[in-house]
Amino acid sequence: MSFIPVVLWSDALVFLLVGVIVMAALYIRKREHLMLPWKRVARSNVALVSMLVLSVFLVIGLLDTLHYRAALPQSSNGEKVYSPEVLSAFDTLVGPLRTRTEKTYSAPFALHLYAKESMTDAQGNVVREYPRLQYGGVHLAHESQRNMDVLKRVANGGVVGFLFGCLLAWLLGRRVPRLPVQIALVVFATLAGAGIDLANAYHVLGTDKVGQDVLYLSLKSIRTGLIIGTLTTLVTLPLALFLGVAAGYFRGWVDDVIQYIYTVLSSIPSVLLIAAAVLMMQVTIDTHPEWFDTSAARADMRLVALCLILGLTSWTGLCRLLRGETLKLREMEYIQAAQAFGVSSMRILSRHIMPNVMHIILIALVMDFSALVLAEAVLSYVGVGVDPSMISFGTMINGARLEMGREPMVWWSLASAFVFMLILVLAANLLADAVRDAFDPRLNRTEGKA
């Protein structure tokens, strides 16, 4: 076997989350009353386009979750040895982007480095010039050919992507005949085709300080953002749901205790609380290096711990919302009637309270996803986020902090992280709006009367 599979803690949690989502989808599909809100979501063109964009991010994130260690050449005693570097299926798929590293900074589509170096010309004189890149545009004989070559590659890749997108749109149209979604699919496929053709010959988004392709770094950051935004909900949701509903329904001393807990927790500045927890966690990791066989496992443990810390410190907002909604629902006539007929509290909570707070849960989780992606960037910027060796939007922004102050200014790392984060967060927020409208029973009741 030329490689050995590696399952990190975050990988296992992602697989668990995917399994839960698949089982929930199969359960919902067999029940018409549960499918009805999702059918309303499917009627929104904005929601479908947002889901298309998010699905691309999810595919990249899942491919980057399949990790392995490649086998090294066998030693003299015949023992098989594996590389300490942990790679993913995505790394294999975009191998040239990962391996074609330059010496240092280079601008997008550049043919030379961004800084001058001392070089010896044909006459033996030492001059200060911009060195030619080792990989970017190396197939060109002269700089004047670049613009025409870029246009040619955009046209060729765009045509291939356009045809592939038309095929996918035709297949999709047979099941979901939505013209805006089909147009979005064709546009995305066209842009992807042009981008892939360009990335094979140029550094489309430039390179960073150590010469790594910024497009590769931006794509690798997607997995970190998705894990922060999704795995944190595994901690947030049970706490907020159980405590919020319990406080609103049972009231009395139960409500007083839960209110006291989340009021005290909310009074502590969240950044300081997270920073203190992350620093304590980092000390524990540093004092037990024997726990980890690779640097990737060490960085992954810090990522999982960060998700746990964010979950334990960010459930109070949703808990407060659920408590207020449950207090209101508890006084409704059908809840009072169920109590009068002796229906148990657990059955009232599961059959009457939960369905009517589901829209709050879904919209809060999707909105929290956006907030958590942005929070990771802020925390990594101040040095208490993910491990510095892990690629993320936050580490890219942190690395661009000094680059923005140099002359000439290196702007493309920050711009790339900003654009990718903007697309991810905007798609999630637009989907959240559609989910809210579909699941909110008050809006649906108004539509029915109209």
Side-chain angles (χ1 to χ4, degrees), residues 40-56:
R40 297 193 192 101
V41 174
R43 288 200 292 265
S44 171
N45 292 324
V46 174
L48 291 179
V49 173
S50 300
M51 291 175 66
L52 175 63
V53 175
L54 290 174
S55 65
V56 175

Side-chain angles (χ1 to χ4, degrees), residues 373-423:
V373 172
L374 298 175
E376 182 276 323
V378 174
L379 292 174
S380 296
Y381 177 78
V382 299
V384 292
V386 299
D387 192 86
S389 63
M390 178 169 285
I391 303 173
S392 72
F393 294 123
T395 54
M396 289 183 65
I397 294 173
N398 188 33
R401 176 178 53 181
L402 299 178
E403 298 173 358
M404 297 294 291
R406 73 189 300 271
E407 182 62 35
M409 182 175 65
V410 179
W411 52 268
W412 46 87
S413 294
L414 180 62
S416 301
F418 171 77
V419 170
F420 275 81
M421 286 181 62
L422 174 65
I423 296 173

Side-chain angles (χ1 to χ4, degrees), residues 49-102:
V49 173
S50 300
M51 291 175 66
L52 175 63
V53 175
L54 290 174
S55 65
V56 175
F57 281 85
L58 289 173
V59 169
I60 295 175
L62 290 176
L63 287 175
D64 206 17
T65 301
L66 303 175
H67 290 104
Y68 69 93
R69 291 168 60 186
L72 298 175
Q74 290 188 359
S75 58
S76 57
N77 58 6
E79 183 181 357
K80 182 169 289 190
V81 181
Y82 295 94
S83 170
E85 183 181 14
V86 178
L87 301 176
S88 68
F90 178 76
D91 292 326
T92 304
L93 188 64
V94 296
L97 286 180
R98 181 178 64 87
T99 57
R100 294 186 310 177
T101 58
E102 305 292 348

Side-chain angles (χ1 to χ4, degrees), residues 224 227-228 231-232 235 274-275 277-278 281 285 299-314 372 375-377 379-380 384-387 390 392:
T224 306
I227 286 180
I228 291 287
L231 294 188
T232 304
V235 181
I274 294 171
V278 168
M281 171 269 300
I285 292 177
D300 183 76
M301 179 55 68
R302 176 164 174 169
L303 175 63
V304 174
L306 180 62
C307 293
L308 179 64
I309 293 169
L310 288 173
L312 291 174
T313 56
S314 60
L372 290 168
E376 182 276 323
L379 292 174
S380 296
V384 292
V386 299
D387 192 86
M390 178 169 285
S392 72

Side-chain angles (χ1 to χ4, degrees), residues 243-266:
L243 296 179
V245 172
Y249 183 78
F250 294 107
R251 298 189 297 186
W253 67 269
V254 175
D255 187 22
D256 294 338
V257 171
I258 294 175
Q259 278 195 81
Y260 179 80
I261 293 174
Y262 71 61
T263 301
V264 171
L265 195 59
S266 299

